[in-house]
Amino acid sequence: MNYDVHKAGAGDDAAFLREAAVLRALSGPLATAGVRVAPFHASIPEQRALLCGLVQGQDRFGAIVDAGQRSALAKDFMAQLAALHRIDVAACPVEGMGPVAPAETLIRERIAALRAGNRGDAWDPLIHLSLDWLEANVPAELPAPAIVHGDAGPGNFLFEGEEVTALLDWELVHYGDPMADLAMLCLRMLFQNFVPLPEAFAAYEAAGGHRVDRARIRYWRLLFQTGFARRTRYDDPDAPPPPNLGMNLVYSTIHRRVLSEALAEAAGIVLPPVVLPDAPPGARGRSFAIALDDIRDTIVPRIADQQAAVKAKGMARLIKWWRAIERFEPGFHAAEKLEIEAELGCLQSDHASAWSAFCEAVAERRIETRAAIILCNAHETRAAALMADAMGGLAAARLANLGPN
């Protein structure tokens, strides 16, 4: 039973209807396609409640230590995606999923929606620059629409042994370009291990999937990353608080740094090294250390409630971030102010004025795109450096190599 009592999930009512529709179809009229799902029983749209049959399996692909099992299971998962993408939706549209529109329509709708959200106090130069590139480089030849899972990758399927028992989390399902699923696989691999992408792509093609088009994968990857990199959900006072602010900020910071790097790659820009001035420990360094020791040594070991323990660890990440802000942010701001002044050719009274002037220059197209992307990357690299201690091993997260074209 999936019951979104507060309607707080990632999707909306239309997304819920698409999810219910595809599960109903894959459990019934499209069952012969061979896509394994939890069998659909009922849905209550006004409650976003979905009832499906129980499917046995585990979801922790990253916990598999046997290389042979990992490879065989990944092969079966890619075969599942291939089976999904082979369904002829022109001949058999899914009842309840809406009209089958060209993938370009979806692209332009997503760009327009992201532009609509990138306004006013929430306006973001990195999002603006990425949307400009995406709008100017929509793929010219897109295939006929297929059913796209929308969130494919490790963590979103159940398995037993070397076989997938069910694909999970269909709330982002839509008609579109099959390469969008392969792009989402790339993004999920920022945080969850899988097999090397060339191996996964070869398995997909061998199972009868579409020809892998790495250029389209890069495009969809950038489009999705642009959506993930928006930070208004944390800054908007009217938005509900995230369930774990510390961890959510870690993910957001990674997405923004990765977006700045991916945008530079797409635009053919070689990024220069970013200046990260060092600084001595801040005046409140000892208080931060005591608080972190209390959380680690006293609070977390005595918490029986799992949710409270997770939130305590999230709070520890925030404290590490605040400690880095006190120590490094003044130097980072000074370096960024100098870079902006050099590019704009005028002095600014302080960092806030410099950043505001930079944003105005980007919005009004008074700064060359290459320079703007380089400055955005430097900004996000410094933000990630402030969060690095809180990120732990995730600080090194990078997009996986797609392999040769």
Side-chain angles (χ1 to χ4, degrees):
M1 180 70 157
N2 180 1
Y3 178 31
D4 189 359
V5 62
H6 297 299
K7 290 194 174 183
D12 51 24
D13 290 337
F16 174 84
L17 293 175
R18 289 193 294 270
E19 178 180 14
V22 77
L23 288 174
R24 183 188 302 112
L26 293 173
S27 301
L30 296 180
T32 55
V35 180
R36 301 172 207 131
V37 297
F40 175 88
H41 289 310
S43 67
I44 308 173
E46 60 271 21
Q47 300 290 343
R48 285 200 198 162
L50 185 62
L51 184 65
C52 293
L54 179 66
V55 176
Q56 298 296 325
Q58 309 171 54
D59 67 346
R60 295 185 60 202
F61 182 91
I64 301 173
V65 296
D66 181 82
Q69 183 188 1
R70 289 173 64 88
S71 183
L73 181 55
K75 182 178 179 180
D76 192 50
F77 170 71
M78 299 310 294
Q80 282 288 289
L81 285 185
L84 177 69
H85 297 160
R86 282 198 305 271
I87 295 172
D88 185 353
V89 296
C92 303
V94 177
E95 182 181 355
M97 266 192 65
V100 181
E104 181 178 346
T105 301
L106 174 65
I107 289 172
R108 298 199 180 277
E109 287 176 350
R110 290 198 176 192
I111 290 173
L114 287 168
R115 282 206 189 278
N118 195 40
R119 293 177 179 171
D121 293 339
W123 191 87
D124 184 327
L126 176 60
I127 302 300
H128 176 85
L129 291 164
S130 184
L131 291 175
D132 278 356
W133 189 92
L134 289 163
E135 196 163 40
N137 292 276
V138 175
E141 296 182 5
L142 289 163
I147 301 175
V148 175
H149 179 279
D151 200 7
N156 276 352
F157 61 88
L158 293 178
F159 65 89
E160 285 192 326
E162 298 179 350
E163 183 176 276
V164 172
T165 56
L167 300 184
L168 305 176
D169 291 353
W170 290 83
E171 64 268 20
L172 299 180
V173 69
H174 59 276
Y175 294 126
D177 181 1
M179 295 303 105
D181 268 342
L182 303 191
M184 186 58 72
L185 171 63
C186 299
L187 294 183
R188 290 192 68 84
M189 286 174 62
L190 281 170
F191 309 109
Q192 295 170 297
N193 290 330
F194 198 55
V195 297
L197 286 172
E199 177 184 339
F201 294 164
Y204 173 80
E205 288 186 338
H210 293 240
R211 183 184 67 83
V212 173
D213 186 328
R214 286 168 173 79
R216 295 209 321 269
I217 291 174
R218 289 187 180 93
Y219 184 90
W220 283 105
R221 193 175 64 179
L222 189 66
L223 179 56
F224 292 148
Q225 194 73 18
T226 304
F228 293 149
R230 294 180 63 236
R231 297 195 70 162
T232 52
R233 60 178 295 193
Y234 310 116
D235 301 329
D236 183 358
D238 298 322
N244 186 334
L245 179 59
M247 203 64 228
N248 281 80
L249 284 173
V250 165
Y251 289 139
S252 175
T253 301
I254 293 171
H255 280 307
R256 291 184 63 81
R257 174 182 54 72
V258 169
L259 173 61
S260 72
E261 294 165 352
L263 176 59
E265 179 188 18
I269 296 170
V270 178
L271 293 169
V274 177
V275 176
L276 298 171
D278 199 1
R284 286 163 287 274
R286 178 168 164 74
S287 65
F288 289 129
I290 292 171
L292 289 168
D293 289 344
D294 284 346
I295 291 174
R296 183 191 63 225
D297 299 332
T298 304
I299 296 173
V300 170
R302 299 184 185 186
I303 293 179
D305 182 273
Q306 184 181 14
Q307 184 179 15
V310 168
K311 283 187 173 286
K313 293 175 182 177
M315 180 59 69
R317 294 181 187 275
L318 288 173
I319 293 172
K320 291 179 179 180
W321 180 49
W322 296 333
R323 178 173 63 183
I325 287 173
E326 182 191 52
R327 178 176 178 179
F328 296 111
E329 190 175 70
F332 287 6
H333 278 180
E336 184 165 78
K337 176 175 176 290
L338 289 174
E339 292 165 354
I340 292 172
E341 289 173 338
E343 192 57 48
L344 298 184
C346 58
L347 298 178
Q348 302 293 328
S349 58
D350 54 26
H351 173 265
S353 298
W355 183 251
S356 178
F358 168 68
C359 290
E360 289 177 6
V362 173
E364 296 170 5
R365 292 179 167 80
R366 290 187 287 103
I367 182 172
E368 194 238 339
T369 299
R370 176 182 177 277
I373 291 175
I374 288 173
L375 284 170
C376 278
N377 171 256
H379 183 80
E380 300 307 331
T381 299
R382 291 182 179 117
L386 292 176
M387 187 67 76
D389 193 21
M391 290 181 186
L394 291 175
R398 290 292 189 283
L399 290 173
N401 182 15
L402 297 180
N405 291 322

